[in-house]
Amino acid sequence: MGGTPKLAMNILCIPEDLDRQITGEILRGGYEKVKEAEAVICGGHTIKDAEPKYGLCVSGFVQPDKILKNSTAQEGDILILTKALGTGILNTAIKAGLLLPSTEKALSSSMIELNKYAAAAMKDLHISSCTDITGFGLLGHAYEMADGSEKSLIIDSSSVPLLPQTLEMAEMGIVPKGAYNNRAWTGCSIDIAESVPLSVSDVLFDPQTSGGLLVALPEEDGLELVKRLRESIPVCEIIGRVENRRDKPVYVI
């Protein structure tokens, strides 16, 4: 949203029998990412739990007149996505041992990539609207942007970047429950063309862990942003456009 993180608190849930070395590696990984984000860990909370969980509660600063909202897309904007999709599906597949080592590496690399670098490339450009792509999947967050902006988003499914093996796993039915929940939540508000395979739409509903940004901005600024992003991050694609409101908030073609 245009802010700069400053302070972070660890939130750690651990089983009593979890190896201390593993716990240390989890905390070290969090520390390294917080440091990369130029913030500081200032404490945390530890809770006994049967399943390991780790997260961060982050505080930061933003100028009120420079907050990037997910509800201000404008007609004529193009849509840019800054990470490939598939983390939910691939994290489900990895539990069944279905992924190639190269895919596991690509999955991990995507999830540890900070959105800091994509955000930095946007600094002096006119950004109409921006949202992260996380638990609601691409189509869930696109719906929020379209509905809040009172516009329609047109998404070209063939332009959406995917992590390796994502489509293969979706075709096998390796899809997390969250994707079905996302489809049920927004399904009636999204028009998906008959030519779009079910496996592809499943990927578009897939809940993402540490997903990228969906950015709406004028075409001229958008082309400049794409140029910058391709010099600083692994993935960046124009995946659609914003139009005046039609019958549905989101159309997938």
Side-chain angles (χ1 to χ4, degrees):
M1 296 180 69
T4 302
K6 290 299 180 184
L7 300 176
M9 293 186 67
N10 286 320
I11 301 172
L12 179 66
C13 301
I14 52 173
E16 292 187 78
D17 58 352
L18 186 67
D19 190 302
R20 285 194 176 189
Q21 184 176 353
I22 294 175
T23 303
E25 287 296 296
I26 292 170
L27 293 173
R28 182 178 65 84
Y31 167 79
E32 289 178 353
K33 283 292 137 179
V34 170
K35 182 179 179 182
E36 184 182 343
E38 300 181 79
V40 176
I41 290 181
C42 59
H45 299 281
T46 306
I47 303 166
K48 292 179 182 178
D49 199 350
E51 184 177 6
K53 303 176 185 71
Y54 174 73
L56 292 153
C57 180
V58 183
S59 300
F61 299 95
V62 64
Q63 289 182 238
D65 62 344
K66 293 187 177 180
I67 293 175
L68 299 179
K69 301 178 181 179
N70 68 349
S71 58
T72 47
Q74 300 297 313
E75 179 191 7
D77 285 346
I78 61 173
L79 299 169
I80 296 174
L81 183 63
T82 66
K83 279 192 183 184
L85 301 183
T87 61
I89 287 170
L90 295 183
N91 276 308
T92 301
I94 203 171
K95 297 173 185 177
L98 296 173
L99 299 187
L100 297 170
S102 58
T103 300
E104 292 185 16
K105 183 177 180 180
L107 172 62
S108 176
S109 295
S110 178
M111 291 191 295
I112 66 173
E113 177 196 330
L114 295 179
N115 285 321
K116 163 186 175 179
Y117 305 104
M122 295 156 44
K123 286 296 184 183
D124 60 343
L125 298 175
H126 177 76
I127 306 299
S128 299
S129 189
C130 183
T131 181
D132 60 349
I133 304 300
T134 49
F136 294 145
L138 173 63
L139 292 185
H141 289 283
Y143 163 75
E144 288 186 323
M145 181 180 287
D147 192 55
S149 305
E150 298 185 344
K151 298 290 187 291
S152 287
L153 270 56
I154 316 301
I155 294 176
D156 179 1
S157 59
S158 65
S159 298
V160 176
L162 307 180
L163 288 164
Q165 288 191 265
T166 296
L167 196 55
E168 175 191 349
M169 293 298 108
E171 289 170 347
M172 292 170 58
I174 310 298
V175 178
K177 181 181 178 181
Y180 297 110
N181 291 340
N182 289 338
R183 187 187 288 271
W185 172 55
T186 58
C188 63
S189 301
I190 297 175
D191 186 293
I192 301 176
E194 292 183 2
S195 59
V196 177
L198 176 62
S199 56
V200 172
S201 63
D202 280 342
V203 174
L204 301 183
F205 282 112
D206 185 40
Q208 301 300 286
T209 297
S210 187
L213 303 177
L214 179 65
V215 188
L217 71 173
E219 184 173 3
E220 184 177 349
D221 287 291
L223 296 176
E224 174 61 24
L225 179 58
V226 168
K227 179 181 176 182
R228 295 181 186 181
L229 290 175
R230 287 179 174 165
E231 294 174 351
S232 59
I233 63 174
V235 176
C236 161
E237 295 294 341
I238 298 172
I239 66 164
R241 63 187 185 276
V242 180
E243 295 186 354
N244 273 336
R245 187 62 173 261
R246 299 187 190 178
D247 292 337
K248 299 287 182 79
V250 180
Y251 289 82
V252 180
I253 59 176

